[in-house]
């Protein structure tokens, strides 16, 4: 009699083997996905630094043109004192330009405090909520003691589904930084960082010193070109062409930086971010308006640059507030209560 070998195999063996095989395949695919995400993250990081590398190359090129080509080679007819004055102001503007640029780029994005986080139990209820009223009730309970005045277009407390937090006023989630940013203005590729509450002053100083740096170099090059060439095309030579190329570049970048500076000074005096200028914020009391944070030109200026005037030209932190709450125009909006939503 031939024995039935299938009886010697446990009944659960086949499902167990299949389960192990599925787990191995799933784990391999998960590793592949993680590896792909890592590679994509590295490529994205490299790509994000390209604008910064471009700016650095321009600074190096401008330094070569101004110091070596202009001052050392083409301004020999001037005295050492005149050359010293030119180089002093040039290096001073360059120093302030680089300092503010570095501060804007490496300013730390401060995390939003833990009390703004949505508890796990409330998050589970929120993810299972069916309608708007149920979400409104859950979020109002979570934000009961939080100082907020803004809401979404439906009049519901603003929250971030990625960070699982209640959004403070003027805070937004940045897809590039993958976090919520306090008083987010915009994500600037030229500094590879978000322009936000803690570095907005640095960014404004960066635009100011970049404009002054470009304008100073451009005016000096034009004066030297006028002295050497006298705007006579018959006297055009290779040395003049080497001066004209930086002049054309200087005109382009001076125009760009001055326009950007003018735009942000306009927004500064209105106490308005770039995002608020494009889309008016919604308030739980008062509705949609762009004027709620406008306290007047002087107060708006001091809110960003601080009360100590001697720190205004320096890229060191001196702004008012904590980035979580902001004063509003008297009578325009009020702090939200749970009954307001």
């Amino acid at each position: 009699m031939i024995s039935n070998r299938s009886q010697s195999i446990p009944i659960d063996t086949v499902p167990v083997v299949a389960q192990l095989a599925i787990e191995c395949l799933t784990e391999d695919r998960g590793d592949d996905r993680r590896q792909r995400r890592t590679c994509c993250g590295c490529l994205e990081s490299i790509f994000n630094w390209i604008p910064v590398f471009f700016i650095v190359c321009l600074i190096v090129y401008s330094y070569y043109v101004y110091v070596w080509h202009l001052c050392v080679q083409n301004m020999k007819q001037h005295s050492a004192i005149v050359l010293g004055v030119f180089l002093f102001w040039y290096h001073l503007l360059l120093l302030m330009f680089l300092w503010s640029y570095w501060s804007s780029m490496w300013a730390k994005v401060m995390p939003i405090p833990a009390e703004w986080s949505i508890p796990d139990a409330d998050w589970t209820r929120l993810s299972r909520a069916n309608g708007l009223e149920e979400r409104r009730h859950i979020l109002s309970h979570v934000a009961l003691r939080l100082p907020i005045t803004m809401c979404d277009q439906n009049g519901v407390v603003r929250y971030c589904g990625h960070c699982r937090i209640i959004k403070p006023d003027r805070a937004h989630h940045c897809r590039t930084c993958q976090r919520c940013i306090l008083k987010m203005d915009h994500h600037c590729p030229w500094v590879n960082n978000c322009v936000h509450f803690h570095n907005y002053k640095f960014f404004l100083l960066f635009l100011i010193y970049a404009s002054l740096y470009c304008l100073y170099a451009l005016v000096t090059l034009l004066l030297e070109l006028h002295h050497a060439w006298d705007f006579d095309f018959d006297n055009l030579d290779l040395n003049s062409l080497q001066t004209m190329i930086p002049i054309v570049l200087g005109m382009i970048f001076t125009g760009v930086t001055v326009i950007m500076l003018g735009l942000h000074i306009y927004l500064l005096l209105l106490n308005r971010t770039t995002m608020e200028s494009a889309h008016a914020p919604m308030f739980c009391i008062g509705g949609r308006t762009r004027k709620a944070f406008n306290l007047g030109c002087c107060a708006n200026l001091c809110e960003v640059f601080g009360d100590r005037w001697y720190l205004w030209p320096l890229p060191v932190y001196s702004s008012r507030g904590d980035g979580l709450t902001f004063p509003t125009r008297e009578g325009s909006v009020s702090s939200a209560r749970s009954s307001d939503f």
Side-chain angles (χ1 to χ4, degrees):
M1 180 181 295
I2 301 175
S3 62
N4 188 358
R5 297 184 179 180
S6 61
Q7 295 178 354
S8 61
I9 300 177
I11 297 176
D12 296 335
T13 302
V14 176
V16 169
V17 172
Q19 184 178 359
L20 290 175
I22 292 173
E23 290 179 355
C24 291
L25 291 174
T26 305
E27 184 178 1
D28 293 339
R29 291 177 182 176
D31 293 339
D32 292 340
R33 284 196 295 269
R34 284 192 293 270
Q35 186 176 3
R36 286 196 296 269
R37 285 198 297 267
T38 303
C39 294
C40 292
C42 292
L43 292 176
E44 184 179 1
S45 299
I46 295 174
F47 180 78
N48 290 338
W49 283 103
I50 291 178
V52 177
F53 179 73
F54 178 72
I55 294 292
V56 172
C57 290
L58 285 177
I59 294 173
V60 173
Y61 175 71
S62 66
Y63 190 87
Y64 160 77
V65 169
Y66 193 91
V67 175
W68 176 253
H69 176 71
L70 180 64
C71 294
V72 176
Q73 292 187 335
N74 295 328
M75 296 181 68
K76 297 178 181 179
Q77 71 276 11
H78 295 291
S79 63
I81 297 177
V82 174
L83 284 177
V85 171
F86 275 108
L87 290 173
F88 170 78
W89 286 109
Y90 172 80
H91 284 92
L92 179 62
L93 289 175
L94 177 61
L95 174 64
M96 300 306 296
F97 172 34
L98 292 176
W99 186 8
S100 57
Y101 185 53
W102 178 272
S103 300
S104 302
M105 185 165 47
W106 294 107
K108 184 179 179 181
V109 178
M110 301 302 292
I112 296 177
E115 55 264 26
W116 294 81
S117 301
I118 301 177
D120 294 337
D122 293 318
W123 179 257
T124 302
R125 292 171 53 209
L126 185 63
S127 60
R128 296 176 180 175
N130 294 323
L132 180 63
E133 291 302 323
E134 188 174 354
R135 288 196 298 112
R136 185 196 307 271
H137 176 73
I138 296 171
L139 292 171
S140 298
H141 173 73
V142 176
L144 185 61
R145 298 184 179 180
L146 296 177
I148 55 176
T149 61
M150 294 175 59
C151 59
D152 64 12
Q153 59 184 0
N154 296 316
V156 181
V157 174
R158 300 187 315 135
Y159 75 98
C160 178
H162 299 281
C163 302
R164 297 188 179 185
I165 62 169
I166 301 295
K167 289 183 179 179
D169 289 348
R170 313 183 84 175
H172 297 276
H173 185 86
C174 177
R175 296 179 181 178
T176 304
C177 297
Q178 297 182 355
R179 66 179 68 184
C180 283
I181 308 296
L182 294 175
K183 193 188 175 184
M184 179 178 174
D185 188 272
H186 69 286
H187 186 90
C188 181
W190 301 108
V191 299
N192 193 23
N193 194 5
C194 267
V195 179
H196 53 90
F197 175 79
H198 291 92
N199 74 340
Y200 189 57
K201 175 191 174 184
F202 307 156
F203 182 75
L204 286 173
L205 290 176
F206 159 62
L207 292 179
I208 291 173
Y209 290 122
S211 300
L212 292 176
Y213 174 80
C214 293
L215 187 62
Y216 179 80
L218 176 62
V219 170
T220 309
L221 286 170
L222 286 173
L223 291 175
E224 180 58 27
L225 185 63
H226 172 68
H227 180 269
W229 181 25
D230 200 21
F231 297 107
D232 184 3
F233 287 94
D234 294 334
N235 297 328
L236 185 64
D237 55 12
L238 180 61
N239 193 43
S240 299
L241 285 175
Q242 292 177 349
T243 305
M244 286 186 62
I245 294 176
I247 287 177
V248 174
L249 293 176
M251 289 180 176
I252 294 174
F253 288 103
T254 300
V256 171
T257 54
V258 168
I259 290 174
M260 292 180 61
L261 175 62
L263 172 63
H264 279 278
I265 288 179
Y266 169 76
L267 295 176
L268 168 67
L269 296 179
L270 295 177
N271 202 344
R272 191 181 300 170
T273 66
T274 303
M275 299 185 69
E276 292 167 356
S277 179
H279 305 283
M282 177 72 75
F283 295 86
C284 61
I285 300 176
R288 190 179 295 277
T289 178
R290 290 187 175 94
K291 300 180 180 180
F293 299 112
N294 188 358
L295 308 176
C297 293
C298 293
N300 295 339
L301 184 68
C302 292
E303 186 173 304
V304 174
F305 284 88
D307 299 316
R308 293 173 288 180
W309 61 268
Y310 52 87
L311 293 179
W312 288 8
L314 303 178
V316 295
Y317 181 78
S318 60
S319 302
R320 290 177 178 175
D322 56 3
L324 297 171
T325 59
F326 298 90
T328 55
R329 296 178 65 178
E330 186 177 356
S332 59
V333 296
S334 301
S335 296
R337 301 183 303 272
S338 60
S339 59
D340 296 329
F341 294 97

